[in-house]
Amino acid sequence: QKEVEQNSGPLSVPEGAIASLNCTYSDRGSQSFFWYRQYSGKSPELIMFIYSNGDKEDGRFTAQLNKASQYVSLLIRDSQPSDSATYLCAVNESGNTGKLIFGQGTTLQVKP
Amino acid sequence: KAGVTQTPRYLIKTRGQQVTLSCSPISGHRSVSWYQQTPGQGLQFLFEYFSETQRNKGNFPGRFSGRQFSNSRSEMNVSTLELGDSALYLCASSYEGGGEAFFGQGTRLTVV
């Protein structure tokens, strides 16, 4: 069974701090990795995607990928109360284009 | 550019009934995937359609089915509804599958 593991949290950080969210996956053949943000009662919103080892930055968000360690992370700099949400890590299952395997999500709380 | 549109937003059905949900993908996207989200199980993959063909299927009973039309719009059907089918049903569209996927607002189904 291919799995994606996340710490459910809650992860609590003060406003302005860096929030670090982590994810591990079991499918060594996975090539595409995504972070979604989901506010309570809403649908997931794609905020970052990464396909190559290393870092990818977009505004306050940085995604990091290490395929050898099967590890993906998301850093949120200068965290804001509006960043408080559940963050879902998703991995494309190898050999099954279009099928995403999701972690259970990490709840982030940013305290003013 | 219009996003992914799901209808209806809310549904209340009785056990034993059947239901059909609709998803219109982003213009130009040919892959549509369906997911079930529940508090206990998180986001679970149902199936993916690409060019009117089911390309992937998750581990759900045969009561769950779907189809895709030539304009890429997709429907999913659940027959003989059970209480446990109460969930948020999400569809995601992507250009060809395997890349960035964008979710609709979801259909919240309650089975009583």
Side-chain angles (χ1 to χ4, degrees), chain B residues 7-19:
Chain B
T7 56
R9 294 289 311 281
Y10 303 93
L11 268 177
I12 300 176
K13 290 287 188 178
T14 304
R15 273 182 302 174
Q17 287 187 312
Q18 74 164 19
V19 67

Side-chain angles (χ1 to χ4, degrees), chain B residues 18-35:
Chain B
Q18 74 164 19
V19 67
T20 300
L21 314 181
S22 178
C23 173
S24 293
I26 293 169
S27 178
H29 283 191
R30 296 161 63 194
S31 168
V32 174
S33 297
W34 289 88
Y35 295 83

